[in-house]
Amino acid sequence: MNNNVRKITDGAMMTAVVGLLVFINRQFFGIAEMFVWILPLPMVFFTAKYGWKDGLLPLTAMILLTLLLGNPQSIYYFIVTAFTGLIYGEGVRRKWTLRKLMIVSLVISIISNLVTTVLFASFFGYDIAKEAQTMQQLFEQAMGSSVAALPIDLSKMIKVAMAFSILFIGVMEGTLVHMTSRLMLTRLGFDIPKAKPLSQIDAPKWTGYVAIVCWAGAEYFLRTPQNETLQVVMMFVNIIANIYLLYYGYLGAVVLGAVKLNKNISLYLVLLSIIFLNIAIPALSLFGFLYITTNWREDLLRRISNGQTK
C-alpha cells in the first residue's frame, strides 16, 4: 500500500477510535475518564510511526471530534491525553530512553492532575475547601479526644494529605500511560528499549543519605512544637523521603527473594506490610537506605555471576 494512503488510513482509524471513546464516555457518564491512561494510545501509535508533524492532522481531527461530541470536562481530558500521546510517540520515534519517556509522561500527568484539581476545581465540580472540612469532621468523629494529642493541626495535615494525593494520582496515571504505551508498541513490533532488570535498578548513594536525613529530621520536627508552616513542609518532606526509601526497600526485598528463595515475594511483602503496617514501613525504609548506600546489591550480583546464590 502507498505510504500516504497508509498514513491517511491509520490516521482515520485512530481518529475513529478516539471518537468511539468520546461517544462511550458521553453515553456512560464519563466512564472513559476513569481509564485516562488508555486515551493517549491512538496518538502514541500514530506519532511513533509517522512523527509529530504528520500527527498534527489526526490530532486536529481528534480535537474537533471531541469538541463536537464531548462535554467540557471530557474535552479537557481528551485534548490533554492527545497531546501526551503526540509527545510520547515522538519520543519513541526519536529513540528516547525509557527513563526520559517515563519522566515526560509523569510530568504531563502531574501537571494535568494539578490543573483539574486546583486551578479548575469549581469548573470540574470539586470544592476543595468543603472536602477538607468534611474530612476533618470525619477524623474528629473517629478519633474523638485523640485529635488534641496530634503534633500538628488536623486541618494542616489534611491539606498536606490532599496535596500529596494530587501528586500521587498524577504519578500513578503517568506510570500507567508509560506502561500501557510501551506494552502496545512492543506488541506492534516497534523498536522499544528493553527495561532494566530489577536487580540492575540503582540510585546514587548520596540520595540515600539525603532521604534518611530528611526522614529523620522531619520526624523530629513533627514531634516538637514548631511553626505551623514549617510543620506542613516537614510533613511533606517526610512523606516524599519515606516513599523513596520504601521503593528501594521493596525493590531490595524482591531481588533478595528472587535470588535466595527463587520466588516472587512481592505479594507477600504487600500483605505483610498491610498486616504489620507500623513495623513494616520503618523496617522497609531502613532496608531501602541500606540497599542504596551499601555495596550489598553489587556483591549479590557478583555472586550470581560466579554461580553463587547462597
Side-chain angles (χ1 to χ4, degrees):
M1 183 182 293
N2 184 278
N3 187 56
N4 288 331
V5 175
R6 180 74 184 193
K7 190 184 302 182
I8 294 171
T9 303
D10 286 342
M13 287 176 60
M14 296 304 103
T15 304
V17 169
V18 171
L20 178 62
L21 289 173
V22 174
F23 178 77
I24 292 173
N25 186 71
R26 183 170 182 172
Q27 295 300 313
F28 293 93
F29 308 101
I31 191 172
E33 296 164 20
M34 298 172 61
F35 304 96
V36 69
W37 60 88
I38 298 176
L39 304 183
L41 295 184
M43 277 306 302
V44 169
F45 165 76
F46 189 88
T47 312
K49 190 172 182 179
Y50 299 108
W52 71 270
K53 290 182 179 179
D54 290 321
L56 292 177
L57 182 59
L59 175 68
T60 304
M62 291 175 188
I63 292 174
L64 292 175
L65 196 59
T66 306
L67 290 172
L68 290 173
L69 299 178
N71 54 47
Q73 186 169 336
S74 65
I75 289 171
Y76 173 80
Y77 279 115
F78 277 86
I79 290 177
V80 169
T81 53
F83 275 102
T84 303
L86 182 77
I87 297 171
Y88 192 98
E90 180 64 18
V92 172
R93 188 173 175 82
R94 291 176 179 265
K95 308 296 183 183
W96 288 355
T97 63
L98 286 179
R99 177 176 294 183
K100 190 173 181 179
L101 290 171
M102 178 77 165
I103 291 173
V104 166
S105 62
L106 287 177
V107 170
I108 295 175
S109 297
I110 291 172
I111 293 175
S112 173
N113 197 47
L114 181 66
V115 169
T116 56
T117 309
V118 179
L119 299 182
F120 294 159
S122 58
F123 182 77
F124 286 101
Y126 304 135
D127 190 338
I128 298 177
K130 188 174 181 180
E131 288 185 9
Q133 185 178 4
T134 302
M135 290 177 64
Q136 182 173 348
Q137 292 173 353
L138 291 174
F139 268 108
E140 290 173 348
Q141 292 174 3
M143 300 179 67
S145 59
S146 301
V147 174
L150 292 174
I152 187 173
D153 181 65
L154 184 59
S155 62
K156 298 288 185 182
M157 185 173 67
I158 290 173
K159 289 178 182 178
V160 171
M162 294 182 71
F164 177 74
S165 69
I166 295 172
L167 176 65
F168 179 76
I169 293 172
V171 169
M172 290 297 296
E173 288 179 355
T175 302
L176 288 170
V177 168
H178 174 67
M179 292 175 64
T180 52
S181 298
R182 182 173 175 273
L183 178 62
M184 177 193 70
L185 294 174
T186 302
R187 295 285 185 181
L188 293 174
F190 284 81
D191 184 18
I192 305 296
K194 292 184 178 180
K196 280 185 176 181
L198 291 180
S199 59
Q200 298 292 336
I201 298 176
D202 60 354
K205 292 185 178 181
W206 64 267
T207 62
Y209 291 107
V210 170
I212 198 72
V213 168
C214 290
W215 180 31
E219 287 285 346
Y220 170 77
F221 280 111
L222 287 173
R223 284 167 171 74
T224 56
Q226 298 290 337
N227 178 271
E228 285 189 1
T229 303
L230 179 61
Q231 284 190 320
V232 170
V233 173
M234 287 297 102
M235 180 177 290
F236 200 77
V237 169
N238 179 280
I239 292 172
I240 297 297
N242 210 352
I243 288 176
Y244 183 76
L245 293 174
L246 271 174
Y247 170 77
Y248 282 98
Y250 273 105
L251 179 64
V254 169
V255 172
L256 181 64
V259 173
K260 296 292 186 180
L261 306 176
N262 294 321
K263 292 182 179 179
N264 186 346
I265 62 172
S266 304
L267 179 60
Y268 300 104
L269 283 173
V270 172
L271 293 176
L272 288 173
S273 299
I274 294 173
I275 297 172
F276 303 104
L277 187 63
N278 293 333
I279 301 173
I281 290 181
L284 284 168
S285 295
L286 290 173
F287 185 63
F289 168 71
L290 295 175
Y291 188 76
I292 296 171
T293 57
T294 65
N295 294 323
W296 175 81
R297 186 184 67 87
E298 290 83 354
D299 294 339
L300 181 63
L301 296 178
R302 192 179 303 113
R303 289 200 298 272
I304 294 173
S305 64
N306 295 331
Q308 302 173 357
T309 57
K310 303 295 183 183

